[in-house]
Amino acid sequence: MSTGDPPSGVVTFLFTDIEGSTRRWESEADAMRAALSKHDQVLQTEIESHDGFLFGHTGDGVVAAFASPRSAVDAAVKA
């Protein structure tokens, strides 16, 4: 999870989800495990590099907060 401080005041949240993940877990669990690990790495890197605060995982997604909408969008696009 994030090493920085959470933003305060008005914040923007970023939620991610892997579409169709249930079907993929059922048919290709090993490949999905590897993909999810890479997914989490990429998102953590981009969230942190855009001054976001990663504070949760939702199975195959993450939840992060940003001090500005622009930072959240930039992190999502870059990821």
Side-chain angles (χ1 to χ4, degrees), residues 49-67:
S49 72
H50 289 88
D51 298 321
F53 182 74
L54 177 62
F55 66 91
H57 288 268
T58 59
D60 63 2
V62 300
V63 185
F66 294 81

Side-chain angles (χ1 to χ4, degrees), residues 1-70:
M1 299 259 215
S2 183
T3 57
D5 293 324
S8 61
V10 176
V11 298
T12 301
F13 292 100
L14 171 66
F15 296 87
T16 70
D17 182 64
I18 299 174
E19 187 175 333
S21 65
T22 300
R23 185 180 73 252
R24 290 183 177 110
W25 276 111
E26 292 170 353
S27 66
E28 302 176 69
D30 289 339
M32 189 61 186
R33 193 171 294 107
L36 184 59
S37 177
K38 183 65 175 174
H39 167 272
D40 290 351
Q41 274 181 340
V42 168
L43 282 165
Q44 181 172 355
T45 297
E46 292 309 322
I47 289 166
E48 289 177 356
S49 72
H50 289 88
D51 298 321
F53 182 74
L54 177 62
F55 66 91
H57 288 268
T58 59
D60 63 2
V62 300
V63 185
F66 294 81
S68 81
R70 181 62 189 217

